[in-house]
Amino acid sequence: MINWLSAILVIGGLIFFFGGSIGIIRFPDFYSRLHPAGKLDTAGQLFTMSGIALYIAQDASLHTFLTAAKIVLIVIFIYITSPTATHAIIDAGVRAGLKPWTKEGQS
Amino acid sequence: MDPSPKRDNGSPDTSVGAPPSARRNTTFFLSFIICFILWLIFSGRFDAFHITLGLISSAIVSFLSGDLLFTASRPKGILRMWVRLAWYIPWLLYQVFLANLQVMYLTFHPRLIDKIDPQIIEFESRLKGDYSRTTFANSITLTPGTITVNVTVLGRFSVHCINTKAGEPLPGEMEKRIAEVFRE
Amino acid sequence: MMDTFFLYSGIFLGIIMFLSLYRAVFGPTVLDRLIGVNAIGSKTTVMLILVGLLYNRVDMFVDIALAYALLNFIAVLAASRYFQKKKGLYEEAP
């Protein structure tokens, strides 16, 4: 039962990862490419990591609980740092003077 | 003749909030507790030797850099603020899930170019503190179709939106919830 | 049965990493390459834990994954701070 739940979570995370990669290729300019890169990757990490943590913690002992807690800490760390990294990249783009793609410009 | 001006020059201004020594002790203990819990989780061994090592090293770390994590302008409200922040997280996760579904829909749409209309909008925020502005900017980056570009000192946010519909409700409910978390 | 499932998820993740590698190789500007590298790094964190599950040593590979997440974040920060001063960044290719 728990195996099925964790498998569904991992598959959902992989779908999010797949959407992120396709979005990085398809979007027209640098600023809009950051939208799938910044959001879908963090969501994919959340789903896959929680699925794996659920799979690990199902045979209950102290050791596996510690490993699952480490995975949860990695997810919390990613949710703090990923917006910061996205903001750093977009700030570098603004300071370098890249013009955003707009529908009127069609560049 | 009157020695009082000379004496008043040297002493720091202690009229705001708690005295500095109490403030420093609070931040020291809070960061010590957090460091030690992290040590226990990451080491995974509970014999006396490793616990002693953890006590010593987290004491050193929280003595040297204890005032980085908590600025402690209000030492009494810190714990309640973290509890309210923990209540804010599930709502944020639900919003992040909706945002991801929206971006997935945009990504797999066959006529992608017609659907998006990127632009940079600006608005004023009424949040004042560093933590509240950081939380607000990170939440904007995580939620639907918006990325924070810049925040000025006066609280002016520049946000890059993927289309016009994503940028419309911006200062709205999220700012209200964060202002309630940080009591501003 | 779950081992096979994790093995095929790892293979699928590898294919997705090749898709992100397209943007890192052919990106028009340096910052596009940086986005591709960041996406590959965030997938590698998951990939390391999957490899740990296949070898039955998750307790060791989790530490490596945490170190890799830290390293990825610091590398992206340092690279974006470094490239923002470069003039002519947007003239690299049409």
Side-chain angles (χ1 to χ4, degrees):
Chain A
M1 187 62 206
I2 293 182
N3 277 352
W4 281 105
L5 190 58
S6 74
I8 288 172
L9 280 174
V10 169
I11 287 176
L14 287 180
I15 290 173
F16 276 127
F17 272 139
F18 184 63
S21 297
I22 296 293
I24 288 176
I25 293 177
R26 281 193 72 197
F27 272 69
D29 85 320
F30 158 70
Y31 293 98
S32 47
R33 260 172 225 148
L34 271 171
H35 288 275
K39 293 188 190 71
L40 293 176
D41 275 358
T42 49
Q45 273 171 333
L46 173 70
F47 278 87
T48 39
M49 295 254 185
S50 53
I52 293 171
L54 205 63
Y55 176 72
I56 289 173
Q58 67 176 337
D59 47 345
S61 73
L62 182 64
H63 210 65
T64 57
F65 274 138
L66 277 177
T67 312
K70 279 181 194 173
I71 293 179
V72 171
L73 277 179
I74 292 177
V75 171
I76 292 175
F77 178 75
I78 283 168
Y79 263 78
I80 296 173
T81 56
S82 168
T84 316
T86 310
H87 170 70
I89 296 175
I90 203 170
D91 192 41
V94 168
R95 289 190 194 209
L98 284 171
K99 291 272 175 289
W101 183 91
T102 50
K103 195 168 274 188
E104 290 81 23
Q106 292 287 354
S107 59
Chain B
M1 194 177 254
D2 187 13
S4 61
K6 207 178 271 181
R7 195 181 60 221
D8 277 351
N9 269 340
S11 67
D13 182 22
T14 54
S15 60
V16 184
S21 60
R23 224 184 281 173
R24 167 164 289 196
N25 279 336
T26 315
T27 59
F28 175 78
F29 275 117
L30 280 176
S31 38
F32 177 76
I33 288 169
I34 288 178
C35 283
F36 190 60
I37 289 174
L38 283 181
W39 172 279
L40 283 185
I41 291 176
F42 280 130
S43 91
R45 295 163 189 264
F46 299 104
D47 46 10
F49 175 66
H50 286 93
I51 286 183
T52 317
L53 273 186
L55 282 175
I56 292 172
S57 51
S58 44
I60 290 175
V61 166
S62 50
F63 177 73
L64 286 181
S65 57
D67 46 356
L68 285 182
L69 193 54
F70 304 99
T71 52
S73 53
R74 298 164 297 169
K76 281 183 181 171
I78 282 182
L79 276 180
R80 254 174 280 157
M81 190 192 83
W82 281 84
V83 169
R84 287 196 301 261
L85 194 63
W87 276 109
Y88 169 70
I89 298 294
W91 180 79
L92 182 66
L93 281 183
Y94 177 63
Q95 293 292 317
V96 166
F97 182 67
L98 291 183
N100 285 307
L101 287 186
Q102 197 173 342
V103 179
M104 282 276 282
Y105 170 71
L106 277 180
T107 300
F108 288 113
H109 200 277
R111 290 177 291 107
L112 176 69
I113 303 295
D114 298 335
K115 281 283 180 181
I116 65 174
D117 183 17
Q119 51 188 316
I120 292 183
I121 63 168
E122 294 194 347
F123 63 90
E124 300 275 349
S125 169
R126 60 192 172 92
L127 300 171
K128 292 290 189 295
D130 291 341
Y131 281 103
S132 52
R133 276 181 191 167
T134 310
T135 314
F136 189 37
N138 278 1
S139 310
I140 284 175
T141 304
L142 281 174
T143 44
T146 46
I147 291 180
T148 312
V149 176
N150 198 7
V151 183
T152 62
V153 187
L154 297 174
R156 188 165 185 82
F157 281 67
S158 305
V159 173
H160 182 267
C161 308
I162 196 72
N163 51 21
T164 325
K165 193 158 63 73
E168 269 174 2
L170 242 190
E173 191 184 356
M174 187 183 292
E175 187 192 36
K176 212 190 310 170
R177 282 179 185 259
I178 290 177
E180 191 202 353
V181 165
F182 289 91
R183 290 291 150 84
E184 280 179 5
Chain C
M1 174 215 152
M2 285 303 271
D3 275 350
T4 321
F5 171 69
F6 285 130
L7 175 66
Y8 281 110
S9 337
I11 291 174
F12 185 63
L13 209 56
I15 295 171
I16 290 174
M17 282 161 74
F18 272 104
L19 284 180
S20 302
L21 197 63
Y22 171 81
R23 190 49 74 192
V25 173
F26 295 105
T29 66
V30 176
L31 293 169
D32 285 316
R33 295 169 207 268
L34 198 57
I35 292 174
V37 169
N38 188 14
I40 290 179
S42 65
K43 289 171 185 60
T44 310
T45 316
V46 179
M47 186 86 141
L48 277 173
I49 298 182
L50 284 177
V51 170
L53 274 174
L54 290 182
Y55 281 109
N56 286 321
R57 287 301 306 270
V58 195
D59 48 349
M60 185 175 76
F61 276 87
V62 153
D63 294 338
I64 304 175
L66 181 68
Y68 197 87
L70 271 167
L71 202 63
N72 187 28
F73 171 59
I74 292 174
V76 168
L77 268 193
S80 58
R81 289 294 116 175
Y82 175 69
F83 283 120
Q84 79 183 8
K85 298 277 171 52
K86 295 283 174 182
K87 295 297 177 192
L89 177 70
Y90 47 93
E91 295 167 2
E92 182 188 327

